[in-house]
Amino acid sequence: MSITNFPAGQGSASAGIPVTKVTMPALAEMKRQGKPISALTAYDYSSSRLADEAGIDLLLVGDSLAMVVLGHENTLAVTVDEMLHHTRAVRRAVRRALVVSDMPFGSYHGTVAEGLANAVRFVKEAGAEAVKIEGPRIGLVRALTEAEIPVVGHLGLTPQSLHRMGGYRVQARTAEAAEKLKHDALALAEAGAGAVVLEGVPREVAAAITAGLPIPTIGIGAGPECDGQILVYHDLLGLTFAPAAKFVRRYADAGSLVREAIEHYREDVEHRLFPSDLESYHLPQAARTESETESEKAEAPGKA
């Protein structure tokens, strides 16, 4: 079954309306119908719930949390346990979107058996509905598929290969490199991957791969011809502290909004404007009267 209906009252966006669950086969059907796939990264309960209620199709618990949530310089430092922790939070919030979790650096770079064991943890312990791995790791994708674990591939600019690539650079800029990328994408599909992320590749290359691939492509910095698009949540909302990449479109300046709200709060505290009387609790009238009477007795002269 590629569709699951959640009964009303269990997280559906509108009361009384069942939620149609997005699954990996559903993404394939969206590609067949030419319906664009919306995807976004997610790291916690509140933001994931908002994204899910907004109708996002795929939520990726990205290893980018190392940078935008934990403050590391790149994605390499995040651990399996940290990724599991955040995946659990996201899964609790989501009713409709497909929840995919990044397998972090080092969790699948050894033997296929080790990679499979770590992938099982994401599904069994954290509730991930698919895992994402970087690079053309055909043997691992085949093993995961045989173990009933849906896989999303990731080609092009693969952040976990930062040191090998010499930085965050656009990939497949030569005819030879473009052909290799096409070959790798097809090999991932044949091995059982349900979708593939194409990051930081020329638009023309991504378009050719998308047209020739039987599974959906999700682009990030790969042009508009991909079957879907993904952005980092913090980039989309302007919650980052560095200049945005060329492919990022900021849909809101939430950073300024949040900063201004916090500054306003601080000013109100400093000027004793918060909390007000309306934001304070009071004794019941009877208790207040009793307290005032006791105070008057205590202050009256000659009274014991």
Side-chain angles (χ1 to χ4, degrees):
M1 286 284 289
S2 62
I3 294 178
T4 301
N5 287 328
F6 285 89
Q10 295 187 14
S12 56
S14 301
I17 301 176
V19 175
T20 301
K21 187 72 176 73
V22 179
T23 62
M24 195 67 81
L27 295 185
E29 180 62 17
M30 291 176 73
K31 177 183 177 77
R32 191 188 71 78
Q33 294 181 8
K35 181 180 178 182
I37 299 164
S38 60
L40 192 63
T41 64
Y43 314 103
D44 58 41
Y45 179 88
S46 59
S47 61
S48 302
R49 180 163 177 171
L50 290 172
D52 192 47
E53 291 177 355
I56 293 295
D57 300 312
L58 184 156
L59 285 174
L60 170 67
V61 188
D63 59 0
S64 48
L65 77 86
M67 303 165 73
V68 299
V69 176
L70 302 179
H72 293 293
E73 292 185 1
N74 54 53
T75 66
L76 303 181
V78 71
T79 67
V80 169
D81 286 340
E82 288 168 335
M83 291 298 301
L84 290 170
H85 173 84
H86 285 269
T87 301
R88 291 187 194 102
V90 171
R91 189 66 192 88
R92 293 184 195 111
V94 172
R95 291 295 177 268
R96 176 183 178 275
L98 178 71
V99 177
V100 182
S101 189
D102 260 335
M103 292 187 65
F105 180 74
S107 66
Y108 60 96
H109 295 74
T111 66
V112 169
E114 290 170 341
L116 175 58
N118 283 321
V120 167
R121 293 191 67 192
F122 279 96
V123 176
K124 191 176 183 67
E125 298 178 27
E129 297 164 316
V131 296
K132 182 171 77 63
I133 60 175
E134 295 184 5
R137 300 178 185 277
I138 309 306
L140 177 57
V141 171
R142 189 174 290 114
L144 293 172
T145 301
E146 291 174 354
E148 309 296 345
I149 299 176
V151 186
V152 175
H154 186 159
L155 297 174
L157 196 170
T158 47
Q160 292 177 12
S161 303
L162 168 71
H163 296 317
R164 176 179 62 79
M165 292 180 173
Y168 300 107
R169 305 174 185 275
V170 176
Q171 301 297 301
R173 302 191 73 171
T174 67
E176 181 181 0
E179 283 303 313
K180 183 179 186 310
L181 197 65
K182 294 176 187 177
H183 176 271
D184 289 343
L186 185 59
L188 285 173
E190 291 174 345
V196 61
V197 171
L198 298 177
E199 179 172 0
V201 300
R203 172 179 180 174
E204 297 80 5
V205 176
I209 292 174
T210 300
L213 213 57
I215 61 175
T217 59
I218 311 294
I220 177 166
E225 284 81 17
C226 292
D227 296 304
Q229 300 293 330
I230 186 168
L231 281 177
V232 170
Y233 181 90
H234 292 65
D235 287 341
L236 180 150
L237 293 177
L239 290 170
T240 54
F241 301 92
K246 177 181 180 179
F247 58 79
V248 170
R249 181 181 297 179
R250 286 186 168 166
Y251 285 83
D253 189 2
S256 294
L257 179 65
V258 171
R259 187 179 294 107
E260 290 171 5
I262 294 173
E263 288 174 353
H264 192 184
Y265 162 72
R266 174 185 55 77
E267 291 168 357
D268 281 356
V269 170
E270 291 175 350
H271 292 90
R272 297 192 180 279
L273 297 174
F274 176 83
S276 68
D277 185 65
L278 291 175
E279 293 156 332
S280 302
Y281 297 105
H282 296 280
L283 281 170
Q285 184 60 47
R288 254 159 62 186
T289 300
E290 182 180 348
S291 178
E292 290 168 359
T293 301
E294 291 299 321
S295 295
E296 290 171 359
K297 287 180 181 180
E299 295 172 1
K303 296 285 180 81

